[in-house]
Amino acid sequence: MANFDSTTSFAHTADATKPNTSHAAIQLHHVSLRLPDGRVLFDDLNEHFAHQRIGLVGRNGAGKSMLARMLAGLIAPEHGRIERRSMPAYVPQDLHLSAGASIAELARLAPLFAALQRIETGMANDADFDLLDGRWDIRLKLAHVLAEAGLGALHADSPADSLSGGEVTRVALAGAFLSGADTLILDEPSNHLDRQARAWLMEAIRQWQGCLIVVSHDRALLSHMDRIVELEAGGLRSYGGNYDVYREQKEREQAAAQDNLDQARTTRARTLRTLKQQHDDRSRRSARNAKHAKTANLPGIYLNRLRDGAEAYSGRERQRVDDTKRELDQSVRNAAARLTAPPPVALILPGTAVPPGKRVLELDEAIPPYPAHAPAMNMILTGPVRVGLIGPNGCGKTTLLRMLAGQLAPVSGHCHTNVTTAWLDQHATRLLPPDKSVLQQLDALHSPLSESERRERLALLGLGAAHVNIASGLLSGGERLKAALACALWGAAPAQLLLLDEPTNHLDLASVIAFEQALSDYPGVLIVASHDQTLLDTLNLTHHLRYSNDGWQLIPT
């Protein structure tokens, strides 16, 4: 069990860098899983998860969350078996509270507190004493961990239904760290956490003793891992080291894959030129032979044998050439399949450019609707600026973005934008109604792109034929965000001001990087609310709009 003392929340790790399969916390043996629609999600997975910090990564839709649930024992594989030394503690990506739930229930520690109460009131039984054996200070430890997580005002009996999303996540994580389990499985644990809460999570992870499996696209979090396991094409591949090591290895692999693809294409082109030359030589030789046969006064039966032999040889040569072409094409396809890096995404239309000096946004004594008693804001933005919206959970970042987008009016004062604006909320429903497909919405927005151009660009975003014609409500969170971004930038009036609210929460690693690349050349104005410091650094911000007790302050970077 992971042990805790009264002065520190998490036991320090001994040596978590060397996996030991003989002491693996979880082992997969030829595990397969088929979805209800018949699609095979995993096939013949074999992997061990030792007492390390392990990051589980992969593209959206690859099945990371399903694999996490399987590792946690919540679903069973269709084939194969899973060995566990003990049952893990699991924190899902989406936490659903029951009505009237307490902090202890949210932290999944309620049985311990119920047993403690029965003992304190003289109503205990032997099972209560067994349950609390070695855990008599659970009340003190929960209070200590909640305080470290920035939730010192909460206690076990506090109601949980008034908590924000970030607070709910912190309580659930605190409960997992206190669960006594040898193995923790956390699905996107940093998604709703602000900077302070992320720092607490990083420290808790650093101190954790045991097996830790984290499904995440958070590069800062993944930099604390000892090993990265990638789920791709239904299989698992392990990379020793943290995210930086993984990224370096992937880049080397992709460079080698690109070299192989280039070589396969060069070989195909060279071989096709040789085959054409051989065909041309045979054609000229056949023409000479036919001309000679006509003038050589040879017997007809002999000429027929020559013609039959030539036709048989020509048929064999055609078959050989066709087989060679198929082999060359297959070689190129195989090499291309090993190249997983997405091509550059052409997101931007010319109309998104904002010229220097153009007044974009004006706030005159504008008081946001939230939080209560917020100070008035006075601000003018000009030219193609890039602003990072930074502040703790609950300070009103989303409300401010909605006010800037014209979705909410200020309590008093004026808020005015002078350019076309698009607000991408966290679930991407504002720009892309759930009942419409992305192609239908682009039609409604009178996109100047032809349908073939739209389909081609959407495919580069990872939205293929299976995605572009279905209702957007059926898409994953990451798919909806990319589709909504396309609607913001490919309409008849492309957005010159993009307001982004935690845009990477539902993206996989490859999509986050593609998203950053797509926005790197955006010539308009960006205002981005995000706790992802790596994203903010990549976007080359010109200003920070930072929240403090005195309100919002615009600070040049």
Side-chain angles (χ1 to χ4, degrees):
M1 291 293 182
N3 297 316
F4 302 86
D5 59 38
S6 61
T7 59
T8 182
S9 301
F10 314 106
H12 286 271
T13 305
D15 183 1
T17 61
K18 297 178 181 179
N20 186 339
T21 57
S22 64
H23 296 93
I26 302 177
Q27 285 189 276
L28 304 182
H29 300 277
H30 307 288
V31 166
S32 301
L33 179 66
R34 189 186 303 271
L35 297 177
D37 62 6
R39 180 166 62 95
V40 175
L41 191 59
F42 316 126
D43 187 33
D44 199 32
L45 296 186
N46 294 279
E47 187 56 74
H48 70 277
F49 298 91
H51 281 203
Q52 302 175 279
R53 294 176 290 266
I54 301 165
L56 180 60
V57 303
R59 291 185 177 275
N60 286 343
K64 301 185 297 297
S65 291
M66 291 289 283
L67 179 57
R69 295 183 65 206
M70 185 184 295
L71 294 173
L74 299 179
I75 55 176
E78 183 178 21
H79 300 293
R81 61 190 177 89
I82 301 176
E83 288 185 60
R84 300 179 188 86
R85 293 174 66 87
S86 61
M87 287 307 295
Y90 169 66
V91 179
Q93 183 175 168
D94 297 312
L95 292 155
H96 302 287
L97 293 177
S98 58
S102 67
I103 294 299
E105 289 170 321
L106 174 57
R108 299 190 178 182
L109 299 174
L112 292 172
F113 282 91
L116 190 62
Q117 184 178 19
R118 285 191 293 270
I119 290 173
E120 291 172 343
T121 57
M123 303 293 291
N125 53 43
D126 289 342
D128 292 330
F129 288 94
D130 291 339
L131 184 62
L132 284 167
D133 186 28
R135 310 198 67 187
W136 294 98
D137 56 352
I138 186 62
R139 182 177 286 118
L140 176 64
K141 286 181 176 176
L142 178 60
H144 183 69
V145 175
L146 289 176
E148 286 192 333
L151 302 172
L154 300 179
H155 52 80
D157 296 328
S158 299
D161 50 11
S162 62
L163 300 181
S164 69
E167 290 169 335
V168 166
T169 299
R170 277 181 278 172
V171 171
L173 290 171
F177 286 118
L178 288 172
S179 65
D182 286 327
T183 301
L184 299 187
I185 300 174
L186 312 179
D187 193 354
E188 298 288 0
S190 62
N191 258 9
H192 302 290
L193 302 186
D194 58 25
R195 289 190 176 194
Q196 179 181 354
R198 285 186 180 217
W200 164 77
L201 174 62
M202 303 295 183
E203 180 62 17
I205 284 174
R206 188 186 70 80
Q207 294 186 23
W208 174 252
Q209 179 179 337
C211 176
L212 175 72
I213 302 171
V214 180
V215 179
S216 183
H217 65 273
D218 185 332
R219 289 161 290 184
L221 178 57
L222 292 173
S223 70
H224 289 262
M225 299 296 107
D226 303 309
R227 183 161 68 104
I228 302 295
V229 175
E230 184 172 25
L231 180 61
E232 56 180 1
L236 289 170
R237 185 168 184 185
S238 180
Y239 294 82
N242 65 6
Y243 173 75
D244 293 334
V245 176
Y246 158 79
R247 179 78 181 271
E248 183 179 329
Q249 291 174 337
K250 290 291 288 185
E251 288 174 351
R252 285 201 301 267
E253 289 176 2
Q254 290 305 297
Q258 184 63 59
D259 288 344
N260 289 336
L261 178 58
D262 293 342
Q263 184 176 357
R265 286 170 171 167
T266 299
T267 299
R268 180 175 64 178
R270 183 172 59 245
T271 304
L272 290 177
R273 286 195 300 269
T274 301
L275 292 174
K276 184 179 185 305
Q277 182 64 46
Q278 292 173 348
H279 176 270
D280 293 344
D281 291 345
R282 286 195 302 272
S283 296
R284 286 191 292 269
R285 186 166 60 249
S286 296
R288 287 196 304 270
N289 291 339
K291 182 178 180 181
H292 176 72
K294 288 180 180 180
T295 59
N297 198 24
L298 297 173
I301 190 170
Y302 179 67
L303 289 175
N304 287 339
R305 281 204 304 272
L306 288 176
R307 185 178 62 251
D308 291 344
E311 288 176 353
Y313 172 76
S314 179
R316 290 194 300 274
E317 279 300 294
R318 282 196 300 271
Q319 184 63 48
R320 183 181 71 84
V321 169
D322 289 344
D323 290 344
T324 300
K325 288 181 177 179
R326 279 194 295 271
E327 291 173 1
L328 290 168
D329 288 342
Q330 187 61 48
S331 177
V332 171
R333 284 194 292 270
N334 291 342
R338 290 190 287 271
L339 188 67
T340 59
V345 180
L347 273 176
I348 311 305
L349 290 180
T352 57
V354 172
K358 180 178 177 59
R359 185 167 290 195
V360 174
L361 176 67
E362 300 175 66
L363 297 177
D364 181 16
E365 294 295 318
I367 298 179
Y370 182 86
H373 311 296
M377 297 182 66
N378 292 283
M379 183 175 71
I380 297 175
L381 294 181
T382 59
V385 294
R386 292 171 169 243
V387 181
L389 202 58
I390 298 171
N393 287 341
C395 72
K397 296 187 295 295
T398 296
T399 299
L400 178 58
L401 287 175
R402 293 184 66 192
M403 188 179 81
L404 299 180
Q407 303 301 325
L408 293 174
V411 174
S412 63
H414 301 281
C415 173
H416 183 66
T417 55
N418 300 310
V419 296
T420 308
T421 303
W423 171 49
L424 270 70
D425 60 290
Q426 292 189 33
H427 301 286
T429 56
R430 188 74 194 182
L431 283 172
L432 187 59
D435 59 338
K436 281 190 175 182
S437 73
V438 60
L439 286 180
Q440 289 173 330
Q441 183 66 355
L442 286 170
D443 277 336
L445 295 170
H446 307 292
S447 172
L449 299 173
S450 67
E451 181 170 342
S452 62
E453 287 176 313
R454 297 176 206 171
R455 287 181 177 271
E456 181 179 353
R457 291 188 180 205
L458 288 167
L460 291 177
L461 282 172
L463 300 173
H467 305 92
V468 298
N469 286 311
I470 64 174
S472 67
L474 300 177
L475 299 175
S476 71
E479 290 164 348
R480 283 198 303 274
L481 176 70
K482 289 185 280 189
L485 189 61
C487 291
L489 298 176
W490 299 348
Q496 293 179 306
L497 169 59
L498 274 181
L499 305 167
L500 308 177
D501 191 0
E502 295 291 350
T504 59
N505 265 4
H506 301 288
L507 296 183
D508 56 43
L509 274 171
S511 296
V512 170
I513 294 170
F515 181 79
E516 291 170 347
Q517 292 171 343
L519 290 180
S520 63
D521 296 326
Y522 178 64
V525 177
L526 285 176
I527 301 181
V528 185
S530 179
H531 299 301
D532 185 343
Q533 188 58 49
T534 308
L535 169 70
L536 296 177
D537 291 341
T538 305
L539 292 179
N540 297 318
L541 301 178
T542 61
H543 296 78
H544 289 144
L545 188 55
R546 191 180 297 275
Y547 183 82
S548 69
N549 292 334
D550 298 324
W552 293 99
Q553 294 182 322
L554 186 67
I555 306 168
T557 57

